[in-house]
mmCIF file of all heavy atoms in Angstrom:
data_model
loop_
_atom_site.group_PDB
_atom_site.id
_atom_site.type_symbol
_atom_site.label_atom_id
_atom_site.label_comp_id
_atom_site.label_asym_id
_atom_site.label_seq_id
_atom_site.Cartn_x
_atom_site.Cartn_y
_atom_site.Cartn_z
ATOM 1 N N GLU A 1 -156.985 92.294 -59.276
ATOM 2 C CA GLU A 1 -155.576 91.913 -59.687
ATOM 3 C C GLU A 1 -155.083 90.639 -58.946
ATOM 4 O O GLU A 1 -155.684 90.275 -58.000
ATOM 5 C CB GLU A 1 -154.636 93.182 -59.346
ATOM 6 C CG GLU A 1 -154.978 94.268 -60.276
ATOM 7 C CD GLU A 1 -154.604 94.182 -61.709
ATOM 8 O OE1 GLU A 1 -153.738 93.183 -62.064
ATOM 9 O OE2 GLU A 1 -155.034 94.914 -62.571
ATOM 10 N N PRO A 2 -154.055 90.050 -59.500
ATOM 11 C CA PRO A 2 -153.511 88.739 -58.838
ATOM 12 C C PRO A 2 -153.299 88.892 -57.406
ATOM 13 O O PRO A 2 -152.598 89.903 -56.987
ATOM 14 C CB PRO A 2 -152.269 88.533 -59.704
ATOM 15 C CG PRO A 2 -152.536 89.123 -61.062
ATOM 16 C CD PRO A 2 -153.332 90.307 -60.704
ATOM 17 N N GLU A 3 -153.636 87.882 -56.704
ATOM 18 C CA GLU A 3 -153.296 87.761 -55.263
ATOM 19 C C GLU A 3 -153.827 88.852 -54.398
ATOM 20 O O GLU A 3 -153.358 89.066 -53.306
ATOM 21 C CB GLU A 3 -151.784 87.574 -55.153
ATOM 22 C CG GLU A 3 -151.226 86.316 -55.907
ATOM 23 C CD GLU A 3 -149.673 86.104 -55.663
ATOM 24 O OE1 GLU A 3 -149.186 86.520 -54.622
ATOM 25 O OE2 GLU A 3 -149.160 85.270 -56.410
ATOM 26 N N THR A 4 -154.803 89.551 -54.795
ATOM 27 C CA THR A 4 -155.267 90.689 -53.990
ATOM 28 C C THR A 4 -155.775 90.258 -52.622
ATOM 29 O O THR A 4 -155.507 90.924 -51.654
ATOM 30 C CB THR A 4 -156.503 91.340 -54.703
ATOM 31 O OG1 THR A 4 -155.977 91.886 -56.055
ATOM 32 C CG2 THR A 4 -156.924 92.552 -53.960
ATOM 33 N N PHE A 5 -156.510 89.150 -52.471
ATOM 34 C CA PHE A 5 -157.043 88.659 -51.203
ATOM 35 C C PHE A 5 -156.450 87.234 -50.907
ATOM 36 O O PHE A 5 -157.049 86.475 -50.148
ATOM 37 C CB PHE A 5 -158.575 88.616 -51.291
ATOM 38 C CG PHE A 5 -159.127 89.895 -51.590
ATOM 39 C CD1 PHE A 5 -159.689 90.223 -52.749
ATOM 40 C CD2 PHE A 5 -159.043 91.035 -50.730
ATOM 41 C CE1 PHE A 5 -160.254 91.475 -53.133
ATOM 42 C CE2 PHE A 5 -159.642 92.355 -51.022
ATOM 43 C CZ PHE A 5 -160.211 92.481 -52.206
ATOM 44 N N LYS A 6 -155.310 86.912 -51.471
ATOM 45 C CA LYS A 6 -154.739 85.531 -51.214
ATOM 46 C C LYS A 6 -154.469 85.440 -49.715
ATOM 47 O O LYS A 6 -153.986 86.283 -48.977
ATOM 48 C CB LYS A 6 -153.401 85.451 -52.025
ATOM 49 C CG LYS A 6 -152.714 84.009 -51.838
ATOM 50 C CD LYS A 6 -151.403 83.997 -52.665
ATOM 51 C CE LYS A 6 -150.753 82.721 -52.463
ATOM 52 N NZ LYS A 6 -149.563 82.616 -53.260
ATOM 53 N N ASN A 7 -154.732 84.174 -49.213
ATOM 54 C CA ASN A 7 -154.413 83.733 -47.879
ATOM 55 C C ASN A 7 -155.248 84.586 -46.837
ATOM 56 O O ASN A 7 -154.821 84.732 -45.601
ATOM 57 C CB ASN A 7 -153.063 83.737 -47.517
ATOM 58 C CG ASN A 7 -152.270 82.698 -48.376
ATOM 59 O OD1 ASN A 7 -152.865 81.680 -48.808
ATOM 60 N ND2 ASN A 7 -150.969 82.886 -48.572
ATOM 61 N N CYS A 8 -156.365 85.131 -47.210
ATOM 62 C CA CYS A 8 -157.281 85.736 -46.212
ATOM 63 C C CYS A 8 -158.231 84.733 -45.718
ATOM 64 O O CYS A 8 -159.291 84.556 -46.128
ATOM 65 C CB CYS A 8 -158.086 86.878 -46.953
ATOM 66 S SG CYS A 8 -157.008 88.356 -47.250
ATOM 67 N N GLU A 9 -157.665 83.938 -44.724
ATOM 68 C CA GLU A 9 -158.438 82.644 -44.346
ATOM 69 C C GLU A 9 -159.792 82.846 -43.774
ATOM 70 O O GLU A 9 -160.678 81.969 -43.733
ATOM 71 C CB GLU A 9 -157.580 81.840 -43.339
ATOM 72 C CG GLU A 9 -156.197 81.348 -43.888
ATOM 73 C CD GLU A 9 -155.076 82.357 -43.502
ATOM 74 O OE1 GLU A 9 -155.334 83.529 -43.378
ATOM 75 O OE2 GLU A 9 -153.981 81.852 -43.575
ATOM 76 N N LEU A 10 -160.094 84.081 -43.146
ATOM 77 C CA LEU A 10 -161.335 84.252 -42.566
ATOM 78 C C LEU A 10 -162.361 85.011 -43.410
ATOM 79 O O LEU A 10 -163.533 85.253 -43.080
ATOM 80 C CB LEU A 10 -161.252 85.019 -41.308
ATOM 81 C CG LEU A 10 -160.326 84.342 -40.094
ATOM 82 C CD1 LEU A 10 -160.418 85.235 -38.819
ATOM 83 C CD2 LEU A 10 -160.949 82.983 -39.827
ATOM 84 N N LEU A 11 -161.951 85.333 -44.689
ATOM 85 C CA LEU A 11 -162.790 86.112 -45.581
ATOM 86 C C LEU A 11 -164.043 85.209 -45.999
ATOM 87 O O LEU A 11 -163.966 84.128 -46.509
ATOM 88 C CB LEU A 11 -162.042 86.474 -46.859
ATOM 89 C CG LEU A 11 -162.805 87.317 -47.959
ATOM 90 C CD1 LEU A 11 -163.258 88.596 -47.405
ATOM 91 C CD2 LEU A 11 -162.037 87.449 -49.225
ATOM 92 N N GLU A 12 -165.232 85.720 -45.603
ATOM 93 C CA GLU A 12 -166.482 84.953 -45.798
ATOM 94 C C GLU A 12 -167.306 85.609 -46.993
ATOM 95 O O GLU A 12 -167.911 84.779 -47.806
ATOM 96 C CB GLU A 12 -167.321 85.011 -44.493
ATOM 97 C CG GLU A 12 -166.659 84.312 -43.384
ATOM 98 C CD GLU A 12 -167.459 84.410 -42.016
ATOM 99 O OE1 GLU A 12 -168.405 85.161 -42.089
ATOM 100 O OE2 GLU A 12 -167.169 83.745 -41.045
ATOM 101 N N THR A 13 -167.419 86.935 -47.057
ATOM 102 C CA THR A 13 -168.253 87.504 -47.939
ATOM 103 C C THR A 13 -167.615 88.543 -48.740
ATOM 104 O O THR A 13 -166.724 89.285 -48.275
ATOM 105 C CB THR A 13 -169.464 88.146 -47.242
ATOM 106 O OG1 THR A 13 -169.111 89.114 -46.286
ATOM 107 C CG2 THR A 13 -170.385 87.077 -46.567
ATOM 108 N N VAL A 14 -168.011 88.537 -50.047
ATOM 109 C CA VAL A 14 -167.458 89.646 -50.940
ATOM 110 C C VAL A 14 -168.717 90.239 -51.561
ATOM 111 O O VAL A 14 -169.504 89.546 -52.239
ATOM 112 C CB VAL A 14 -166.582 89.019 -52.071
ATOM 113 C CG1 VAL A 14 -166.100 90.182 -53.012
ATOM 114 C CG2 VAL A 14 -165.434 88.351 -51.545
ATOM 115 N N SER A 15 -168.928 91.543 -51.447
ATOM 116 C CA SER A 15 -170.068 92.224 -52.040
ATOM 117 C C SER A 15 -169.650 93.182 -53.102
ATOM 118 O O SER A 15 -168.433 93.642 -53.062
ATOM 119 C CB SER A 15 -170.786 93.066 -50.933
ATOM 120 O OG SER A 15 -169.987 94.075 -50.325
ATOM 121 N N PHE A 16 -170.623 93.407 -54.016
ATOM 122 C CA PHE A 16 -170.097 94.322 -55.263
ATOM 123 C C PHE A 16 -171.094 95.513 -55.282
ATOM 124 O O PHE A 16 -172.305 95.275 -55.270
ATOM 125 C CB PHE A 16 -170.255 93.428 -56.572
ATOM 126 C CG PHE A 16 -169.225 92.293 -56.561
ATOM 127 C CD1 PHE A 16 -169.637 91.054 -56.086
ATOM 128 C CD2 PHE A 16 -168.034 92.465 -57.003
ATOM 129 C CE1 PHE A 16 -168.799 89.984 -56.132
ATOM 130 C CE2 PHE A 16 -167.047 91.388 -57.109
ATOM 131 C CZ PHE A 16 -167.552 90.069 -56.635
ATOM 132 N N GLU A 17 -170.520 96.607 -55.394
ATOM 133 C CA GLU A 17 -171.285 97.834 -55.585
ATOM 134 C C GLU A 17 -171.895 97.929 -56.843
ATOM 135 O O GLU A 17 -171.176 97.667 -57.925
ATOM 136 C CB GLU A 17 -170.456 99.054 -55.241
ATOM 137 C CG GLU A 17 -171.097 100.475 -55.334
ATOM 138 C CD GLU A 17 -170.068 101.510 -55.063
ATOM 139 O OE1 GLU A 17 -169.251 101.733 -55.857
ATOM 140 O OE2 GLU A 17 -170.287 102.232 -54.142
ATOM 141 N N MET A 18 -173.146 98.401 -57.047
ATOM 142 C CA MET A 18 -173.828 98.452 -58.322
ATOM 143 C C MET A 18 -173.516 99.899 -58.869
ATOM 144 O O MET A 18 -173.502 100.905 -58.028
ATOM 145 C CB MET A 18 -175.281 98.193 -58.112
ATOM 146 C CG MET A 18 -175.589 96.804 -57.496
ATOM 147 S SD MET A 18 -175.219 95.495 -58.685
ATOM 148 C CE MET A 18 -176.532 95.555 -59.799
ATOM 149 N N PRO A 19 -173.571 100.105 -60.168
ATOM 150 C CA PRO A 19 -173.588 98.969 -61.216
ATOM 151 C C PRO A 19 -172.249 98.447 -61.403
ATOM 152 O O PRO A 19 -171.155 99.045 -61.130
ATOM 153 C CB PRO A 19 -173.959 99.735 -62.499
ATOM 154 C CG PRO A 19 -173.356 101.200 -62.209
ATOM 155 C CD PRO A 19 -173.517 101.390 -60.773
ATOM 156 N N ILE A 20 -172.161 97.109 -61.604
ATOM 157 C CA ILE A 20 -170.923 96.382 -61.530
ATOM 158 C C ILE A 20 -170.168 96.538 -62.917
ATOM 159 O O ILE A 20 -170.766 96.255 -63.972
ATOM 160 C CB ILE A 20 -171.192 94.923 -61.269
ATOM 161 C CG1 ILE A 20 -171.810 94.797 -59.916
ATOM 162 C CG2 ILE A 20 -169.820 94.110 -61.357
ATOM 163 C CD1 ILE A 20 -172.418 93.401 -59.517
ATOM 164 N N SER A 21 -168.794 96.779 -62.922
ATOM 165 C CA SER A 21 -168.045 96.925 -64.071
ATOM 166 C C SER A 21 -166.895 95.899 -64.112
ATOM 167 O O SER A 21 -166.264 95.717 -65.098
ATOM 168 C CB SER A 21 -167.299 98.246 -64.066
ATOM 169 O OG SER A 21 -168.137 99.327 -63.957
ATOM 170 N N LEU A 22 -166.899 94.966 -63.068
ATOM 171 C CA LEU A 22 -165.882 94.019 -63.029
ATOM 172 C C LEU A 22 -165.804 93.107 -64.155
ATOM 173 O O LEU A 22 -166.887 92.410 -64.589
ATOM 174 C CB LEU A 22 -165.904 93.233 -61.750
ATOM 175 C CG LEU A 22 -164.838 92.216 -61.348
ATOM 176 C CD1 LEU A 22 -163.560 93.041 -61.098
ATOM 177 C CD2 LEU A 22 -165.182 91.312 -60.175
ATOM 178 N N LYS A 23 -164.662 92.821 -64.875
ATOM 179 C CA LYS A 23 -164.589 91.953 -66.028
ATOM 180 C C LYS A 23 -163.683 90.806 -65.909
ATOM 181 O O LYS A 23 -163.768 89.787 -66.452
ATOM 182 C CB LYS A 23 -164.042 92.770 -67.203
ATOM 183 C CG LYS A 23 -165.092 93.835 -67.770
ATOM 184 C CD LYS A 23 -164.568 94.565 -68.981
ATOM 185 C CE LYS A 23 -165.637 95.446 -69.687
ATOM 186 N NZ LYS A 23 -166.073 96.544 -68.718
ATOM 187 N N ILE A 24 -162.677 91.016 -64.835
ATOM 188 C CA ILE A 24 -161.675 89.942 -64.756
ATOM 189 C C ILE A 24 -161.531 89.588 -63.222
ATOM 190 O O ILE A 24 -161.175 90.463 -62.432
ATOM 191 C CB ILE A 24 -160.299 90.310 -65.398
ATOM 192 C CG1 ILE A 24 -160.472 90.557 -66.855
ATOM 193 C CG2 ILE A 24 -159.228 89.252 -65.037
ATOM 194 C CD1 ILE A 24 -159.189 91.050 -67.514
ATOM 195 N N VAL A 25 -161.563 88.314 -62.950
ATOM 196 C CA VAL A 25 -161.195 87.773 -61.552
ATOM 197 C C VAL A 25 -159.749 87.325 -61.743
ATOM 198 O O VAL A 25 -159.547 86.337 -62.407
ATOM 199 C CB VAL A 25 -162.165 86.747 -61.024
ATOM 200 C CG1 VAL A 25 -161.680 86.324 -59.660
ATOM 201 C CG2 VAL A 25 -163.601 87.288 -61.021
ATOM 202 N N GLY A 26 -158.808 88.095 -61.180
ATOM 203 C CA GLY A 26 -157.420 87.757 -61.365
ATOM 204 C C GLY A 26 -156.755 86.544 -60.807
ATOM 205 O O GLY A 26 -157.390 85.864 -59.931
ATOM 206 N N GLU A 27 -155.641 86.230 -61.326
ATOM 207 C CA GLU A 27 -154.907 85.038 -60.937
ATOM 208 C C GLU A 27 -154.592 85.080 -59.316
ATOM 209 O O GLU A 27 -154.172 86.003 -58.839
ATOM 210 C CB GLU A 27 -153.629 84.988 -61.638
ATOM 211 C CG GLU A 27 -152.869 83.624 -61.459
ATOM 212 C CD GLU A 27 -151.648 83.679 -62.327
ATOM 213 O OE1 GLU A 27 -151.590 84.317 -63.330
ATOM 214 O OE2 GLU A 27 -150.604 82.837 -62.037
ATOM 215 N N ARG A 28 -155.058 83.870 -58.800
ATOM 216 C CA ARG A 28 -154.895 83.599 -57.346
ATOM 217 C C ARG A 28 -155.437 84.698 -56.373
ATOM 218 O O ARG A 28 -155.072 84.767 -55.276
ATOM 219 C CB ARG A 28 -153.515 83.470 -57.068
ATOM 220 C CG ARG A 28 -152.688 82.369 -57.754
ATOM 221 C CD ARG A 28 -151.210 82.182 -57.353
ATOM 222 N NE ARG A 28 -150.435 81.230 -58.180
ATOM 223 C CZ ARG A 28 -150.476 79.916 -57.893
ATOM 224 N NH1 ARG A 28 -151.018 79.462 -56.817
ATOM 225 N NH2 ARG A 28 -149.853 79.091 -58.791
ATOM 226 N N CYS A 29 -156.453 85.454 -56.946
ATOM 227 C CA CYS A 29 -156.989 86.629 -56.153
ATOM 228 C C CYS A 29 -157.703 86.085 -54.863
ATOM 229 O O CYS A 29 -157.547 86.877 -53.879
ATOM 230 C CB CYS A 29 -157.771 87.499 -56.919
ATOM 231 S SG CYS A 29 -159.243 86.779 -57.467
ATOM 232 N N PHE A 30 -158.287 84.993 -54.884
ATOM 233 C CA PHE A 30 -158.969 84.548 -53.636
ATOM 234 C C PHE A 30 -158.309 83.128 -53.231
ATOM 235 O O PHE A 30 -159.078 82.385 -52.515
ATOM 236 C CB PHE A 30 -160.422 84.334 -53.843
ATOM 237 C CG PHE A 30 -161.165 85.614 -54.162
ATOM 238 C CD1 PHE A 30 -161.609 86.002 -55.354
ATOM 239 C CD2 PHE A 30 -161.356 86.493 -53.076
ATOM 240 C CE1 PHE A 30 -162.340 87.116 -55.615
ATOM 241 C CE2 PHE A 30 -162.057 87.679 -53.261
ATOM 242 C CZ PHE A 30 -162.563 88.014 -54.635
ATOM 243 N N GLU A 31 -157.188 82.839 -53.596
ATOM 244 C CA GLU A 31 -156.497 81.641 -53.211
ATOM 245 C C GLU A 31 -156.459 81.494 -51.691
ATOM 246 O O GLU A 31 -156.034 82.337 -50.972
ATOM 247 C CB GLU A 31 -155.172 81.547 -53.866
ATOM 248 C CG GLU A 31 -154.492 80.169 -53.680
ATOM 249 C CD GLU A 31 -153.153 79.924 -54.341
ATOM 250 O OE1 GLU A 31 -152.456 81.021 -54.513
ATOM 251 O OE2 GLU A 31 -152.908 78.938 -54.853
ATOM 252 N N ASN A 32 -156.891 80.215 -51.237
ATOM 253 C CA ASN A 32 -156.791 79.887 -49.857
ATOM 254 C C ASN A 32 -157.552 80.717 -48.995
ATOM 255 O O ASN A 32 -157.327 80.892 -47.688
ATOM 256 C CB ASN A 32 -155.295 79.943 -49.396
ATOM 257 C CG ASN A 32 -154.417 78.821 -50.014
ATOM 258 O OD1 ASN A 32 -154.909 77.882 -50.395
ATOM 259 N ND2 ASN A 32 -153.214 79.184 -50.152
ATOM 260 N N CYS A 33 -158.725 81.305 -49.442
ATOM 261 C CA CYS A 33 -159.705 81.987 -48.576
ATOM 262 C C CYS A 33 -160.651 80.844 -48.039
ATOM 263 O O CYS A 33 -161.753 80.584 -48.625
ATOM 264 C CB CYS A 33 -160.479 82.931 -49.436
ATOM 265 S SG CYS A 33 -159.541 84.471 -49.913
ATOM 266 N N THR A 34 -160.202 80.158 -47.043
ATOM 267 C CA THR A 34 -160.785 78.885 -46.593
ATOM 268 C C THR A 34 -162.068 79.037 -45.884
ATOM 269 O O THR A 34 -162.698 78.022 -45.667
ATOM 270 C CB THR A 34 -159.770 78.172 -45.794
ATOM 271 O OG1 THR A 34 -159.346 78.962 -44.655
ATOM 272 C CG2 THR A 34 -158.478 77.789 -46.626
ATOM 273 N N SER A 35 -162.528 80.241 -45.570
ATOM 274 C CA SER A 35 -163.847 80.384 -44.858
ATOM 275 C C SER A 35 -164.994 80.765 -45.857
ATOM 276 O O SER A 35 -166.219 80.814 -45.456
ATOM 277 C CB SER A 35 -163.682 81.539 -43.785
ATOM 278 O OG SER A 35 -162.919 81.062 -42.702
ATOM 279 N N MET A 36 -164.668 81.102 -47.139
ATOM 280 C CA MET A 36 -165.641 81.503 -48.128
ATOM 281 C C MET A 36 -166.490 80.256 -48.490
ATOM 282 O O MET A 36 -165.939 79.262 -48.898
ATOM 283 C CB MET A 36 -164.966 82.038 -49.305
ATOM 284 C CG MET A 36 -165.939 82.603 -50.288
ATOM 285 S SD MET A 36 -165.055 83.151 -51.804
ATOM 286 C CE MET A 36 -164.100 84.481 -51.176
ATOM 287 N N LYS A 37 -167.787 80.480 -48.257
ATOM 288 C CA LYS A 37 -168.752 79.246 -48.582
ATOM 289 C C LYS A 37 -169.477 79.586 -49.844
ATOM 290 O O LYS A 37 -169.850 78.467 -50.538
ATOM 291 C CB LYS A 37 -169.726 79.123 -47.438
ATOM 292 C CG LYS A 37 -169.081 78.693 -46.082
ATOM 293 C CD LYS A 37 -170.066 78.464 -45.008
ATOM 294 C CE LYS A 37 -169.453 78.027 -43.760
ATOM 295 N NZ LYS A 37 -170.359 77.827 -42.619
ATOM 296 N N LYS A 38 -169.799 80.681 -50.134
ATOM 297 C CA LYS A 38 -170.533 80.990 -51.416
ATOM 298 C C LYS A 38 -169.933 82.121 -52.112
ATOM 299 O O LYS A 38 -169.405 83.094 -51.531
ATOM 300 C CB LYS A 38 -171.917 81.272 -51.100
ATOM 301 C CG LYS A 38 -172.778 80.087 -50.460
ATOM 302 C CD LYS A 38 -174.271 80.525 -50.304
ATOM 303 C CE LYS A 38 -175.049 79.353 -49.727
ATOM 304 N NZ LYS A 38 -176.432 79.711 -49.512
ATOM 305 N N MET A 39 -169.981 82.054 -53.461
ATOM 306 C CA MET A 39 -169.364 83.218 -54.232
ATOM 307 C C MET A 39 -170.340 83.381 -55.458
ATOM 308 O O MET A 39 -170.508 82.655 -56.265
ATOM 309 C CB MET A 39 -168.070 82.949 -54.662
ATOM 310 C CG MET A 39 -167.354 84.000 -55.549
ATOM 311 S SD MET A 39 -167.127 85.424 -54.579
ATOM 312 C CE MET A 39 -166.462 86.633 -55.779
ATOM 313 N N TRP A 40 -170.928 84.666 -55.482
ATOM 314 C CA TRP A 40 -171.747 85.048 -56.701
ATOM 315 C C TRP A 40 -170.826 85.853 -57.642
ATOM 316 O O TRP A 40 -170.384 86.972 -57.229
ATOM 317 C CB TRP A 40 -172.934 85.808 -56.243
ATOM 318 C CG TRP A 40 -173.632 86.483 -57.456
ATOM 319 C CD1 TRP A 40 -174.352 85.820 -58.310
ATOM 320 C CD2 TRP A 40 -173.677 87.884 -57.695
ATOM 321 N NE1 TRP A 40 -174.846 86.759 -59.202
ATOM 322 C CE2 TRP A 40 -174.512 88.041 -58.835
ATOM 323 C CE3 TRP A 40 -173.129 88.957 -57.039
ATOM 324 C CZ2 TRP A 40 -174.741 89.242 -59.447
ATOM 325 C CZ3 TRP A 40 -173.454 90.229 -57.666
ATOM 326 C CH2 TRP A 40 -174.214 90.332 -58.802
ATOM 327 N N ILE A 41 -170.416 85.434 -58.794
ATOM 328 C CA ILE A 41 -169.573 86.103 -59.671
ATOM 329 C C ILE A 41 -170.515 86.990 -60.477
ATOM 330 O O ILE A 41 -171.454 86.527 -61.057
ATOM 331 C CB ILE A 41 -168.762 85.117 -60.614
ATOM 332 C CG1 ILE A 41 -167.874 84.298 -59.778
ATOM 333 C CG2 ILE A 41 -168.040 85.897 -61.716
ATOM 334 C CD1 ILE A 41 -167.133 83.189 -60.562
ATOM 335 N N PRO A 42 -170.217 88.334 -60.519
ATOM 336 C CA PRO A 42 -171.063 89.265 -61.306
ATOM 337 C C PRO A 42 -171.228 88.975 -62.707
ATOM 338 O O PRO A 42 -170.356 88.389 -63.368
ATOM 339 C CB PRO A 42 -170.320 90.714 -61.025
ATOM 340 C CG PRO A 42 -169.532 90.399 -59.710
ATOM 341 C CD PRO A 42 -169.087 88.952 -59.801
ATOM 342 N N TYR A 43 -172.463 89.311 -63.286
ATOM 343 C CA TYR A 43 -172.613 89.198 -64.646
ATOM 344 C C TYR A 43 -171.868 89.942 -65.622
ATOM 345 O O TYR A 43 -171.976 89.705 -66.749
ATOM 346 C CB TYR A 43 -174.182 89.293 -64.937
ATOM 347 C CG TYR A 43 -175.103 88.176 -64.449
ATOM 348 C CD1 TYR A 43 -175.573 88.096 -63.158
ATOM 349 C CD2 TYR A 43 -175.353 87.118 -65.287
ATOM 350 C CE1 TYR A 43 -176.313 87.072 -62.731
ATOM 351 C CE2 TYR A 43 -176.056 86.097 -64.902
ATOM 352 C CZ TYR A 43 -176.530 86.060 -63.599
ATOM 353 O OH TYR A 43 -177.267 84.926 -63.206
ATOM 354 N N SER A 44 -171.050 90.798 -65.048
ATOM 355 C CA SER A 44 -170.108 91.568 -65.913
ATOM 356 C C SER A 44 -168.816 90.836 -66.264
ATOM 357 O O SER A 44 -168.084 91.135 -67.189
ATOM 358 C CB SER A 44 -169.801 92.894 -65.347
ATOM 359 O OG SER A 44 -169.277 92.602 -64.002
#
């Protein structure tokens, strides 16, 4: 959902439990996560 992890400046990794059901990456959900270097968006 929107802004779920907004302004989590030290957030580096996001992992997804299998099997993945995620369909929508919401508005501003990772905004200003300034430590995140890589992001693998699931195939769902």
Side-chain angles (χ1 to χ4, degrees):
E1 295 289 341
E3 302 185 15
T4 302
F5 303 106
K6 181 180 178 180
N7 294 337
C8 294
E9 295 97 338
L10 295 185
L11 183 62
E12 297 175 351
T13 58
V14 180
S15 61
F16 299 90
E17 184 183 61
M18 302 292 284
I20 301 169
S21 302
L22 189 67
K23 292 180 173 61
I24 299 173
V25 180
E27 186 173 340
R28 299 182 187 272
C29 66
F30 294 108
E31 185 175 34
N32 296 330
C33 292
T34 54
S35 295
M36 185 185 294
K37 294 181 180 180
K38 295 182 180 181
M39 181 65 183
W40 171 69
I41 297 175
Y43 280 90
S44 57

